[in-house]
Amino acid sequence: MAQNVAQHWRASIPTEPSTRSYWHQQLDSNLEALTEGELPKSADYVIIGSGLTGSLVAYDLARTLPTATSIVVLEARHAASGATGRNGGHIKPGRIAFFNDWKERHGAQVAAAQVALEKANYEETVAFIEQEQLAEEVELVLLQAMDVAMNQQALEKLKTAWENLRRVGADTSDMQFHQEPETAEAVRIPQCLAAVSYPAASVWPYKLATAVLRKAIGLGVKLYTSTPVKSIDKAVYEPFWTIQTPRGSLQAGSIIHATNGYASSILPELTDKLVPCKGHAAAALPPKAYFESPLQNTYGIHWGDDYDYLIQKHHHARPLIYGGRDLVGSGDTFVGVGDSDDSTLNNSIAESLRNFPFETFKDWKSEENETCPGDTQVWSGIMGFTIDDFPFVGRVPGRSGQFISAGYGGSGMARAFLCSKALCQLIRGEEVDKRIPSFYFDLDKRWTTPETISAQIAEWKAMTAESAV
């Protein structure tokens, strides 16, 4: 029985076809043309995955390694077709939303370090976009995040997190606790009881990843789309690895795994240590009131046990981009865990997402509103969750010359930039950015723990059932 559970929570390779996200309506035709031609016989570095992590690593290495170094990026589908091209479009650090959970599970010191990392990651990501002169292209908008409490349970959790955050000495100088009723009016959500605000941003994530990829390609990096990796084997000649794809094999001196929730598809030792989890997101056209005066915040909407997130685009049709609604699927917090198929939707979640803005925002539903739930585009995407909540960054145990940065727990935009930068420092043999918590890199210990995610979930469900009796 345990064997079946473990096998269930090993990812497949990315599915084809897949649901179409809002961000994929404007695909980069030049990158999409990179499906033809033979694979090179060998490369010094092969990066698997072309999302934000893969593109950042490719660009960083191409800028800093000797010009003769060969770097290849392999992508199973089209460029940035995974989680980067399917997320909520916000760069929102988890400065309070998950602090209680981190503190309870890992202690105050680890929780504070994680908060500091995500704050720094936000700042560095925005600085990078501006330094590379990509702000206009990727539609960067700087605004405030609002973590909103929608009921009494959520309010108590938000208050406790706020108090704990200040108690551990975290930097809250740019944060503010907002009480109702003024808050409800400001965020345009009548049900809101309180909120905590702090700096955040919105962005077109697919365009960010592909813009960075183009810069890497300009430095000599080779991108091959429609090239899923089927397996990695030890090559006859040390220290190379043989990468098998439907288009042939490729010898690699070093391999970087940037596949997030799909990592276990080619690293079977990650089965039940880094598991895929299907989430859902949506894009809804706004009514006149929200088109003329769009929301000025990104949102984390807290319901106690459930959590939704959203932004509103300030460009073009100004759609609301949002996701979550996980408990609607079956009443189970863990719906979607183990599912790596983004070609399908959970119908209950999709219906709830379509109704969400009409049920949540003031004046979204009005006589002048020509939009309806049927106009909403819904898609799915695959996140990656690790055994202990935090990304796996560093050398792959037992596989000399292989590296990984994956398992962002649904918070890739809040973690990926600094994780990718640190991984490149490690690859080059440099001192690694000390803002990255040291336990991120302790993969020997974290991967060999007898604990599994399926066992954790079974234990949690048993405890919940007992407390409900």
Side-chain angles (χ1 to χ4, degrees):
M1 185 68 177
Q3 179 70 15
N4 291 335
V5 171
Q7 288 296 321
H8 176 65
W9 285 344
R10 180 182 177 187
S12 66
I13 63 173
T15 58
E16 191 67 64
S18 59
T19 54
R20 188 173 179 83
S21 86
Y22 173 84
W23 309 117
H24 289 150
Q25 64 179 294
Q26 297 180 23
L27 296 180
D28 187 313
S29 58
N30 292 324
L31 292 181
E32 295 318 303
L34 298 174
T35 59
E36 301 176 356
E38 293 185 6
L39 291 180
K41 298 299 183 183
S42 63
D44 295 315
Y45 292 87
V46 174
I47 300 165
I48 306 172
S50 65
L52 188 57
T53 295
S55 63
L56 287 169
V57 169
Y59 185 41
D60 195 332
L61 293 181
R63 285 188 299 175
T64 57
L65 294 177
T67 55
T69 304
S70 55
I71 302 173
V72 167
V73 178
L74 301 179
E75 172 55 57
R77 300 181 294 201
H78 64 74
S81 55
T84 297
R86 298 171 181 276
N87 64 36
H90 61 185
I91 308 173
K92 177 180 178 292
R95 295 179 63 183
I96 196 165
F98 309 111
F99 184 82
N100 287 342
D101 295 334
W102 296 335
K103 179 177 179 293
E104 181 177 347
R105 186 171 184 189
H106 301 290
Q109 186 176 0
V110 169
Q114 184 64 28
V115 168
L117 166 71
E118 297 199 10
K119 178 179 184 291
N121 187 89
Y122 156 74
E123 294 168 345
E124 294 258 2
T125 307
V126 169
F128 171 81
I129 291 171
E130 293 175 339
Q131 289 164 6
E132 296 290 332
Q133 300 181 343
L134 297 175
E136 182 176 354
E137 178 180 350
V138 306
E139 301 183 9
L140 175 70
V141 178
L142 304 181
L143 25 68
Q144 290 284 301
M146 283 279 189
D147 277 293
V148 176
M150 298 293 282
N151 55 32
Q152 195 62 35
Q153 181 187 6
L155 177 60
E156 292 306 315
K157 286 188 174 183
L158 200 64
K159 284 182 176 179
T160 301
W162 176 251
E163 292 166 0
N164 285 334
L165 194 63
R166 302 177 76 183
R167 188 175 294 119
V168 300
D171 180 9
T172 59
S173 59
D174 57 353
M175 303 177 70
Q176 186 175 352
F177 195 99
H178 305 267
Q179 299 278 16
E180 56 87 24
E182 293 82 4
T183 305
E185 188 66 27
V187 300
R188 298 159 83 173
I189 300 178
Q191 195 174 338
C192 168
L193 300 180
V196 174
S197 65
Y198 46 90
S202 67
V203 72
W204 194 299
Y206 168 83
K207 290 184 178 180
L208 175 57
T210 53
V212 176
L213 272 175
R214 287 198 307 274
K215 286 180 174 289
I217 291 169
L219 295 174
V221 171
K222 303 297 183 184
L223 168 66
Y224 295 89
T225 55
S226 299
T227 310
V229 173
K230 301 172 67 176
S231 65
I232 300 174
D233 305 304
K234 196 67 177 174
V236 175
Y237 300 104
E238 296 284 352
F240 292 99
W241 295 93
T242 300
I243 299 174
Q244 301 288 354
T245 82
R247 300 173 63 183
S249 63
L250 170 63
Q251 303 286 309
S254 294
I255 297 172
I256 294 96
H257 296 266
T259 50
N260 199 34
Y262 296 103
S264 64
S265 68
I266 45 179
L267 289 173
E269 58 265 46
L270 283 178
T271 300
D272 220 15
K273 304 292 185 184
L274 193 169
V275 303
C277 181
K278 181 157 72 178
H280 295 71
L285 295 176
K288 182 178 179 181
Y290 283 80
F291 182 85
E292 294 180 348
S293 179
L295 297 171
Q296 298 303 307
N297 307 289
T298 76
Y299 288 80
I301 300 182
H302 300 260
W303 302 91
D305 291 327
D306 207 2
Y307 171 83
D308 301 315
Y309 54 88
L310 65 90
I311 64 167
Q312 184 175 3
K313 290 291 296 170
H314 287 197
H315 300 74
H316 313 301
R318 298 182 176 176
L320 193 73
I321 311 290
Y322 56 102
R325 309 270 86 190
D326 294 329
L327 283 179
V328 174
S330 65
D332 185 345
T333 307
F334 302 102
V335 64
V337 174
D339 189 345
S340 55
D341 181 0
D342 59 14
S343 69
T344 63
L345 300 175
N346 179 300
N347 291 331
S348 297
I349 293 176
E351 181 181 3
S352 182
L353 283 170
R354 294 186 180 101
N355 290 321
F356 173 80
F358 296 87
E359 298 170 346
T360 305
F361 286 98
K362 180 182 179 181
D363 297 330
W364 192 278
K365 183 178 182 180
S366 67
E367 294 180 1
E368 296 180 356
N369 187 359
E370 297 179 357
T371 66
C372 68
D375 296 328
T376 300
Q377 178 182 357
V378 182
W379 63 91
S380 62
I382 308 305
M383 302 172 284
F385 287 83
T386 67
I387 192 72
D388 53 16
D389 305 323
F390 301 125
F392 292 147
V393 182
R395 304 179 189 277
V396 174
R399 293 176 179 253
S400 178
Q402 295 194 39
F403 303 84
I404 189 171
S405 184
Y408 295 120
S411 299
M413 299 298 287
R415 300 173 175 181
F417 184 86
L418 284 183
C419 287
S420 301
K421 182 178 178 181
L423 187 65
C424 290
Q425 291 168 334
L426 183 69
I427 291 170
R428 291 191 297 265
E430 301 169 355
E431 182 179 5
V432 174
D433 191 335
K434 294 189 181 301
R435 292 174 296 181
I436 310 296
S438 59
F439 59 82
Y440 273 29
F441 303 98
D442 192 4
L443 302 189
D444 285 300
K445 179 179 179 180
R446 296 170 69 200
W447 287 23
T448 57
T449 173
E451 196 173 11
T452 64
I453 292 180
S454 55
Q456 287 179 344
I457 291 176
E459 182 180 356
W460 185 89
K461 288 183 176 181
M463 291 174 58
T464 303
E466 290 177 3
S467 63
V469 175

